[in-house]
């Protein structure tokens, strides 16, 4: 059993809280029974289990190396307020581009909870893929992973330059929608085509000007109350469900 945070393994797990180490090792840390079950069921490669002493492991844990740790070590690596006593190191998995028809493009979204919710909602709404543009929070950030509730393991997620990718999507027959408040029309005024790429921008600044100029349609969601705007992930959800239902 590992009882010291100075143990080499404990240090290695703790480093995975930082993007630099995740990129270097091509691994990331997940916590909780649900996420671990989703990763296992989705055939993502689990490198090893980390189990708080006294915690029962799922049956499939026998397929992997298991390290038992003391409370002080588990709390050192955990980023949840009420940890379930189980974590795992997972290897990153490269997504494969296929014949997609509904794609969410995320431009410079910084809030991990927002990004995780967008990925989860894209999965629920039947979108085919998510593309994360530059300056968007790391998809393997612990809060992002938790907010996806396992959808990270279900839907392909790519990290690319949107300025470079959008022209390619257009060549593939995609119509590009941008969620914007200025110079836009109500989203219900447009009937989605079969292939749609939806851009959602930064929580405060919106979509980058160079990117919004590449859009075929700028759409807005009417505000009926006194709120200035909608949360970015809520707006993404409304638009994705509309596009999926009407296309």
């Amino acid at each position: 059993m590992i009882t010291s945070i100075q143990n080499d393994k404990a240090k290695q797990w703790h480093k995975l809280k930082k993007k630099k180490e995740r990129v270097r090792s091509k691994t990331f840390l997940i916590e909780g029974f649900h996420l671990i079950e989703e990763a296992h069921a989705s055939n993502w490669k689990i490198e090893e289990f980390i189990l708080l002493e006294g915690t029962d492991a799922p049956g499939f844990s026998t397929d992997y190396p298991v390290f038992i740790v003391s409370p002080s070590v588990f709390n050192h690596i955990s980023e949840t307020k009420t940890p379930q006593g189980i974590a795992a190191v997972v290897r990153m998995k490269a997504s494969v581009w296929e014949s997609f028809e509904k794609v969410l493009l995320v431009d410079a979204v910084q809030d991990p909870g927002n990004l995780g919710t967008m990925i989860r909602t894209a999965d629920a709404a039947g979108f085919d893929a998510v593309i994360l543009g530059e300056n968007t929070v790391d998809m393997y950030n612990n809060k992002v992973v938790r907010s996806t509730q396992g959808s990270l393991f279900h839907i392909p997620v790519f990290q690319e330059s949107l300025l470079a990718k959008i022209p390619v999507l257009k060549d593939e027959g995609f119509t590009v929608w941008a969620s914007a408040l200025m110079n836009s029309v109500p989203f219900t005024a447009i009937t989605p085509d079969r292939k749609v790429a939806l851009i959602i921008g930064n929580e405060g600044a919106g979509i980058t000007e160079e990117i919004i100029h590449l859009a075929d349609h700028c759409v807005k969601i009417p505000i009926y109350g006194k709120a200035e705007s909608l949360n970015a992930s809520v707006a993404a959800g409304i638009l994705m469900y509309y596009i999926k239902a009407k296309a």
Side-chain angles (χ1 to χ4, degrees):
M1 186 173 73
I2 298 174
T3 59
S4 171
I5 62 173
Q6 298 305 318
N7 178 277
D8 287 343
K9 272 290 183 185
K11 288 181 179 179
Q12 178 184 333
W13 297 327
H14 184 73
K15 286 180 181 178
L16 291 178
K17 293 182 178 183
K18 302 293 185 183
K19 179 180 178 180
K20 180 179 179 181
E21 182 61 21
R22 293 194 294 268
V23 171
R24 187 201 67 77
S25 66
K26 291 183 168 43
T27 61
F28 60 106
L29 200 67
I30 61 174
E31 292 184 59
F33 288 96
H34 176 67
L35 282 177
I36 289 171
E37 287 167 356
E38 291 293 327
H40 172 75
S42 302
N43 294 318
W44 281 57
K45 185 179 180 183
I46 296 175
E47 298 278 322
E48 55 200 17
F49 274 84
I50 306 153
L51 206 63
L52 174 64
E53 59 175 328
T55 303
D56 292 329
F60 59 79
S61 66
T62 54
D63 296 338
Y64 308 100
V66 178
F67 293 88
I68 309 298
V69 302
S70 66
S72 62
V73 172
F74 199 89
N75 290 333
H76 184 61
I77 66 171
S78 174
E79 293 192 77
T80 59
K81 291 181 180 179
T82 54
Q84 295 178 17
I86 186 169
V89 177
V90 181
R91 182 149 298 276
M92 295 177 184
K93 185 177 181 180
S95 296
V96 178
W97 188 263
E98 298 178 13
S99 299
F100 300 136
E101 294 186 352
K102 305 291 184 292
V103 179
L104 177 66
L105 311 182
V106 183
D107 178 33
V109 166
Q110 294 291 305
D111 183 84
N114 273 344
L115 178 59
T117 300
M118 286 182 197
I119 293 171
R120 180 182 181 183
T121 308
D123 180 21
F127 264 50
D128 301 310
V130 178
I131 302 175
L132 309 182
E134 295 165 340
N135 300 317
T136 294
V137 63
D138 179 27
M139 63 185 281
Y140 296 112
N141 174 291
N142 186 272
K143 290 181 180 178
V144 174
V145 174
R146 290 205 312 271
S147 296
T148 71
Q149 285 291 303
S151 287
L152 177 67
F153 305 121
H154 305 156
I155 186 170
V157 181
F158 302 85
Q159 294 176 302
E160 300 186 41
S161 164
L162 297 187
L163 281 173
K165 186 64 178 181
I166 290 172
V168 174
L169 291 173
K170 286 186 168 186
D171 288 343
E172 292 181 5
F174 280 85
T175 300
V176 180
W177 289 32
S179 175
L181 295 175
M182 304 296 292
N183 302 316
S184 54
V185 300
F187 70 95
T188 51
I190 301 174
T191 301
D193 295 318
R194 182 173 61 86
K195 300 178 76 170
V196 178
L198 169 66
I199 313 170
I200 298 292
N202 176 271
E203 293 87 351
I207 299 170
T208 310
E209 189 173 348
E210 296 90 339
I211 291 174
I212 206 167
H213 286 324
L214 296 175
D216 298 300
H217 303 292
C218 289
V219 299
K220 62 184 176 182
I221 301 168
I223 303 291
Y224 299 111
K226 295 181 180 179
E228 287 187 5
S229 62
L230 286 169
N231 172 277
S233 60
V234 172
I238 292 170
L239 295 172
M240 282 191 285
Y241 268 91
Y242 175 77
I243 289 167
K244 183 65 176 180
K246 296 293 185 179

